[in-house]
Amino acid sequence: MSQWEKLLAKILSLSKDLRFHELQKVLESYGYEMKAPKSGSSHCTFRKKGKAPITVPRHEPVKQVYVLLVKAVVEEETDENT
């Protein structure tokens, strides 16, 4: 199993030890662009044309509610590719 497949498996299983950079890697691979926070905020917003924006705080580990949002993106993108 490749590292990419392991990362997707962690997201799909709603792992509680995911890091911000792991979610960032997945979202950017599906075409989302990250907007860095301004004026000291820790929340980054990921945008993709035609999709709802996803805002994730840069806290470690990432809370499960944000992993759930990324899981929905992974499942949607996987369904579109099959």
Side-chain angles (χ1 to χ4, degrees):
M1 185 182 274
S2 71
Q3 287 183 339
W4 178 252
E5 291 169 335
K6 287 179 184 178
L7 178 56
L8 291 181
K10 280 176 69 174
I11 290 172
L12 293 174
S13 69
L14 298 176
S15 176
K16 293 182 179 181
D17 65 342
L18 282 162
R19 304 290 177 204
F20 176 84
H21 73 276
E22 292 174 319
L23 295 185
Q24 178 183 2
K25 181 179 179 179
V26 170
L27 287 171
E28 287 178 344
S29 74
Y30 288 125
Y32 283 79
E33 292 182 15
M34 184 178 86
K35 290 285 188 175
K38 295 182 181 177
S39 67
S41 176
S42 64
H43 290 66
C44 294
T45 302
F46 294 89
R47 297 182 187 276
K48 181 177 178 180
K49 188 173 183 173
K51 305 290 182 180
I54 298 173
T55 303
V56 181
R58 284 186 182 252
H59 299 172
E60 306 285 339
V62 177
K63 290 185 178 180
Q64 201 167 16
V65 66
Y66 301 107
V67 178
L68 194 59
L69 293 172
V70 177
K71 177 184 177 188
V73 169
V74 170
E75 289 173 341
E76 181 181 325
E77 294 290 336
T78 303
D79 288 344
E80 289 178 3
N81 292 335
T82 50

